Amino acid sequence: MDVQSGKADIALRFTDAPPEDLLGRSVGTLSMGVFGHADLIAALDQGAYDTLCLIRMKAERHVQIWPVDPDRFQSVVVVDDFSTLASAVEHGMGVAALPRAVGSRLRGAVQSQTTPLSAARSVWLLRNQDSRGSKVIAAVAAEIHDHASKVLKAT
């Protein structure tokens, strides 16, 4: 949901500069990694790109972080949403750049140790200005912030 449109009271957003019209609190830094099933990561680490499928999101802003030209892969599959991207990796359909906090929790997925990604994104918890007086929203926001910051620190 878009917090700025007023459809959500609380949201986590990856940004270095949160919008001025929202209340923001830094959660931490989201680091990225390349994930896939062990056999796919082994092929990636050996440079056998032409045997692999690269999976990425349509709106992926960090495409440029790939150290390997996507044209070298056997195929590139573009998906519309993050849950499809994570599910494709979890089911062994290819390799993808994922936040370490997500990729490390996918069943059967391992991280490449030889394919570095240069992207790290700041994570912010954002609230509408209207929610400033709500103790309930403030309490929920604090709980989300604490949990998200623990997850980010653990990866």
Side-chain angles (χ1 to χ4, degrees):
M1 290 191 193
D2 186 0
V3 177
Q4 287 175 297
S5 72
K7 294 181 182 175
D9 291 317
I10 303 168
L12 289 172
R13 184 177 288 173
F14 310 120
T15 183
D16 291 323
E20 292 179 17
D21 60 330
L22 297 175
L23 302 173
R25 185 173 171 201
S26 175
V27 176
T29 302
L30 181 72
S31 58
M32 302 292 288
V34 177
F35 289 88
H37 276 206
D39 58 330
L40 301 178
I41 294 299
L44 179 74
D45 290 347
Q46 293 169 8
Y49 311 112
D50 60 340
T51 66
L52 296 171
C53 174
L54 171 65
I55 307 164
R56 69 173 190 84
M57 288 184 47
K58 183 185 292 185
E60 194 168 89
R61 292 184 187 136
H62 56 270
V63 172
Q64 69 278 5
I65 66 174
W66 272 96
V68 178
D69 181 357
D71 291 338
R72 293 184 59 196
F73 286 84
Q74 178 183 32
S75 59
V76 177
V77 173
V78 179
V79 297
D80 287 329
D81 61 67
F82 189 77
S83 61
T84 303
L85 178 71
S87 181
V89 170
E90 189 171 49
H91 288 90
M93 299 173 89
V95 298
L98 292 170
R100 288 185 181 147
V102 174
S104 63
R105 289 171 172 75
L106 294 179
R107 203 176 42 248
V110 297
Q111 182 179 347
S112 170
Q113 300 303 310
T114 63
T115 308
L117 295 180
S118 59
R121 311 277 309 271
S122 294
V123 179
W124 286 75
L125 182 111
L126 302 173
R127 298 189 302 150
N128 285 321
Q129 295 273 354
D130 310 2
S131 69
R132 188 183 303 252
S134 172
K135 290 180 182 179
V136 172
I137 291 175
V140 171
E143 177 120 359
I144 292 170
H145 179 276
D146 291 347
H147 180 73
S149 62
K150 285 176 188 172
V151 168
L152 292 177
K153 285 177 185 171
T155 56

